[in-house]
Amino acid sequence: MASSSYTCIQDSATEKDRLLSSVTTYGSRDLLGGGSPRPTCLVGSEPHQKQEEEEEALRRKLKYFFMSPCDKYHAKGRKPFKLGLQLLKIIIVTVQLVLFGLSNQMVVTFKEENTAAFKHLFLKGYQDDAPQAVHTQKELYSHIHFAIDQYMALPQISLGRYAYVSGVGVNGTALSLCQRYYRRGTIDPVNDTFDIDPRVITDCVGLNPPTYSSAPGNSDYKNFTLKFYKLINVTVDFQLKAINIQTIINNEIPDCYTFAITIVMDNRAHSGKIKITLQNQASIQECKDPNVSGHAESYAREFFDVVVAFVCLLSLLLCGRSILRGILLQHEYVQFFHHKLGRSVSWGDRLEFINGWYILLIVSDMFTIIGSFIKIGIESKNLSSYDMCGILLGTSTLLVWVGVIRYLSFFQKYNILIVTLRAAFPNVIRFCCCAAAIYMGYCFCGWIVLGPYHAKFRSLSMVSECLFSLINGDDMFVTFAEMEQSGTLVWIFSQVYLYTFISLFIYMVLSLFIALITGAYDTIMAQTQEQVRASDLHAFIAECTDTPSSGKFRGPEGSSCSFLCCCDW
């Protein structure tokens, strides 16, 4: 490495000897008068000076690479187009998400309200959030007849405008009433014997509404006999059409819906209780010959989505180019250290050239581009993947706003969050792995022992949600109070289980978790008060004392370039 303490080497000295000679200061400090005067020598001075120039050029290139956008602007005068592009992207991506959110909210609301209406229309005695069940044969027949009668009289009783869909049932009918039962099933509790053939038989009848009375398939459904002793379930299947006209509020063409409704009466347990549920699957398609008075067809939203996709594509290309430049510069730096100085570069220094923020922005751009094209398909009524589009656009917007932290990190006072997370992350991951083992043990134990007696422990996912709520101090009394008094042994175990979990995770695990992050924060704050040992990469760059406004970064290599090359951070 070039320095002011180099002495003039005679002709017998090799270039390698010069490179491996002792170094006390770096060449850029000579310009400021640092160190002793550099002796001159006619013999071998040109190769020596050339190497110093190459080293100084590399050092200056590295310093420019790690500059902030503002410093790069002062260094070479190039406007930070990518910075402006990212700020623009934050605005338009957020606007796109808000517009989609308003539209998606109306779709979800329309589906939920129609599902609630169907439950009140077709389930006898339905009450909101109350499970439906019957316990006698007469009640089951009554519920089946009620659902079919309501379906037949739907145009006269419903507040919504619905239309029947023909040809979706058995034998081309509009409604199917089916029972599924075992091929042979004989159960004799008196003698404790049973004879069951597990093969399932499906028996169905089809019905048509009064408007299709002339169509084939009409039958007297009230004579439909259920085989209770081997019955698995009874289903009533039909479809209805509706139009969501509230989208006109958002200046959108209304959507046409087809609701596939299935009423299930489940008797798989053969416990004397048949549970009744209504399932509703909605599909969206383009309406035929839509006509809204005073409304002209507009493609403004599709054009805006195309603009968003184009901006994100441009951002993706620029971020990809920045990553490629970092990899090439890393290779140049590694080769210089290996061939000129005979030293290897640590992986920590190598990873400094790969900016994780660029990767985050690339992922965000990819999600936004895919989500934008799905949104265009939804607005043109060719797709109905609202959930997938919402996940892509929501995740991309999250990543875009998280990327704002990158620009705040250029200021030391705002950088404390990133630095603390980076310092605490390895210890936090190791700690979470240990805590997760204990947590999973409690999940499995609670599911097996308390599941039959507690509503919050019915499944593994519910157990995990309940325990996570307890860690945060939520629903503690309710969890204790809802424990069924099924037996003294199970009740005592539940008390020991809950008290030990709460004590362990709130008073120990959670406190240690907070202590890890607090310790990392204290370490970072202590380091700001004292000189921190710099890595080889930053020590090498620090020898370049040229300021961004010195004009020495305006090399001839940057005088002419393409549009993408001019878009620097």
Side-chain angles (χ1 to χ4, degrees):
M1 215 178 288
S3 69
S4 59
S5 61
Y6 280 133
T7 59
C8 183
I9 311 299
Q10 301 300 324
D11 294 338
S12 59
T14 62
E15 186 68 19
K16 182 177 180 180
D17 295 333
R18 295 190 184 98
L19 291 174
L20 298 179
S21 60
S22 62
V23 178
T24 56
T25 57
Y26 290 87
S28 60
R29 294 185 177 179
D30 299 337
L31 300 175
L32 301 176
S36 58
R38 185 192 304 271
T40 59
C41 173
L42 296 177
V43 181
S45 60
E46 292 184 1
H48 182 71
Q49 184 178 1
K50 182 179 180 181
Q51 179 188 328
E52 285 187 348
E53 292 176 354
E54 293 177 355
E55 179 181 345
E56 191 66 24
L58 176 61
R59 188 181 288 115
R60 191 175 290 118
K61 187 185 300 185
L62 290 171
K63 185 171 184 178
Y64 177 79
F65 179 79
F66 289 103
M67 282 183 182
S68 66
C70 295
D71 289 337
K72 286 185 177 181
Y73 172 73
H74 292 296
K76 288 191 175 182
R78 294 178 182 174
K79 296 179 176 59
F81 290 105
K82 281 199 295 188
L83 173 59
L85 184 68
Q86 294 303 319
L87 297 178
L88 173 64
K89 190 178 74 172
I90 291 174
I91 297 174
I92 62 177
V93 166
T94 304
V95 172
Q96 182 192 44
L97 182 72
V98 172
L99 294 176
F100 176 77
L102 295 175
S103 177
N104 189 34
Q105 186 176 7
M106 287 192 298
V107 171
V108 174
T109 302
F110 188 72
K111 291 180 182 179
E112 291 179 348
E113 291 180 352
N114 276 275
T115 300
F118 295 149
K119 290 180 179 180
H120 283 277
L121 283 171
F122 302 117
L123 299 183
K124 185 177 181 180
Y126 176 78
Q127 296 180 355
D128 291 334
D129 300 327
Q132 292 285 106
V134 294
H135 302 85
T136 65
Q137 296 182 13
K138 183 178 179 180
E139 287 180 332
L140 181 58
Y141 278 117
S142 175
H143 278 72
I144 295 174
H145 296 163
F146 177 83
I148 297 177
D149 291 340
Q150 291 288 99
Y151 173 79
M152 295 297 183
L154 186 63
Q156 290 77 35
I157 63 176
S158 67
L159 294 176
R161 178 64 174 159
Y162 299 108
Y164 298 114
V165 180
S166 61
V168 295
V170 295
N171 299 324
T173 57
L175 180 146
S176 297
L177 171 61
C178 301
Q179 63 171 328
R180 298 173 68 249
Y181 53 89
Y182 295 116
R183 185 172 184 177
R184 183 178 68 255
T186 302
I187 301 175
D188 187 4
V190 176
N191 299 322
D192 296 331
T193 60
F194 62 89
D195 181 16
I196 295 177
D197 185 348
R199 286 176 289 183
V200 177
I201 303 297
T202 301
D203 185 13
C204 297
V205 297
L207 298 100
N208 283 313
T211 54
Y212 300 98
S213 58
S214 59
N218 285 331
S219 60
D220 188 4
Y221 61 91
K222 294 187 178 181
N223 294 329
F224 189 67
T225 303
L226 302 177
K227 299 175 174 58
F228 288 99
Y229 59 95
K230 54 183 178 180
L231 182 66
I232 299 175
N233 63 33
V234 179
T235 59
V236 180
D237 298 281
F238 56 90
Q239 293 186 10
L240 297 174
K241 285 187 174 182
I243 300 177
N244 182 13
I245 62 174
Q246 65 175 334
T247 55
I248 298 177
I249 299 174
N250 287 349
N251 198 30
E252 297 181 15
I253 297 297
D255 295 324
C256 290
Y257 289 75
T258 299
F259 297 104
I261 302 167
T262 301
I263 301 174
V264 181
M265 304 171 189
D266 190 3
N267 190 43
R268 288 176 299 176
H270 283 266
S271 60
K273 175 182 178 180
I274 296 181
K275 300 177 182 178
I276 301 177
T277 58
L278 185 145
Q279 302 170 0
N280 179 28
Q281 296 291 333
S283 59
I284 306 174
Q285 57 272 351
E286 184 178 5
C287 296
K288 299 178 181 179
D289 300 327
N291 183 18
V292 180
S293 301
H295 180 276
E297 190 171 2
S298 175
Y299 296 97
R301 294 203 175 193
E302 288 86 347
F303 176 76
F304 180 73
D305 294 331
V306 172
V307 171
V308 173
F310 176 77
V311 171
C312 291
L313 178 62
L314 183 60
S315 172
L316 187 148
L317 294 176
L318 295 176
C319 292
R321 182 205 59 126
S322 298
I323 292 179
L324 179 61
R325 277 190 170 184
I327 295 174
L328 296 177
L329 186 58
Q330 178 207 74
H331 179 73
E332 182 179 354
Y333 174 73
V334 171
Q335 292 298 318
F336 175 82
F337 261 59
H338 178 68
H339 294 293
K340 301 295 184 181
L341 305 179
R343 295 167 55 186
S344 61
V345 179
S346 64
W347 280 105
D349 287 346
R350 289 172 184 260
L351 292 177
E352 290 280 348
F353 292 88
I354 302 177
N355 196 323
W357 294 110
Y358 293 153
I359 299 176
L360 182 142
L361 292 176
I362 288 176
V363 174
S364 171
D365 293 333
M366 293 176 61
F367 284 175
T368 304
I369 293 172
I370 299 174
S372 297
F373 283 108
I374 295 178
K375 184 172 181 289
I376 293 174
I378 292 174
E379 291 170 346
S380 61
K381 312 306 177 185
N382 295 320
L383 296 174
S384 59
S385 305
Y386 278 89
D387 293 337
M388 178 60 68
C389 184
I391 291 173
L392 291 173
L393 294 182
T395 305
S396 65
T397 307
L398 168 65
L399 297 179
V400 165
W401 279 97
V402 170
V404 174
I405 301 178
R406 163 179 163 76
Y407 307 109
L408 297 178
S409 64
F410 293 130
F411 305 94
Q412 185 176 2
K413 292 184 178 180
Y414 294 95
N415 194 32
I416 188 66
L417 174 62
I418 298 299
V419 176
T420 303
L421 292 177
R422 185 184 303 170
F425 185 75
N427 290 331
V428 168
I429 292 298
R430 287 190 286 267
F431 180 81
C432 288
C433 290
C434 297
I438 305 175
Y439 186 82
M440 291 304 299
Y442 269 93
C443 286
F444 284 109
C445 179
W447 175 52
I448 292 297
V449 180
L450 305 181
Y453 311 105
H454 202 296
K456 294 185 178 181
F457 290 82
R458 292 285 191 253
S459 64
L460 277 175
S461 60
M462 295 179 66
V463 173
S464 180
E465 294 166 1
C466 176
L467 295 183
F468 190 79
S469 299
L470 291 177
I471 293 177
N472 293 277
D474 190 20
D475 285 343
M476 283 193 180
F477 176 78
V478 176
T479 305
F480 278 96
E482 288 184 358
M483 185 63 199
E484 299 176 6
Q485 296 287 345
S486 58
T488 305
L489 182 61
V490 176
W491 184 84
I492 294 175
F493 179 87
S494 68
Q495 302 302 300
V496 175
Y497 174 87
L498 293 175
Y499 276 113
T500 55
F501 177 82
I502 293 173
S503 301
L504 177 63
F505 274 84
I506 291 183
Y507 302 127
M508 295 181 63
V509 175
L510 192 59
S511 298
L512 289 174
F513 182 83
I514 297 174
L516 286 176
I517 301 178
T518 305
Y521 175 80
D522 293 338
T523 302
I524 296 300
M525 296 304 296
Q527 290 177 351
T528 58
Q529 306 298 328
E530 58 185 19
Q531 186 175 3
V532 183
R533 180 187 178 277
S535 62
D536 293 339
L537 173 63
H538 292 287
F540 182 77
I541 298 175
E543 293 301 320
C544 179
T545 58
D546 300 329
T547 61
S549 57
S550 63
K552 295 184 179 181
F553 293 91
R554 301 173 182 262
E557 69 278 3
S559 58
S560 62
C561 60
S562 64
F563 172 74
L564 292 179
C565 294
C566 294
C567 299
D568 286 321
W569 283 105

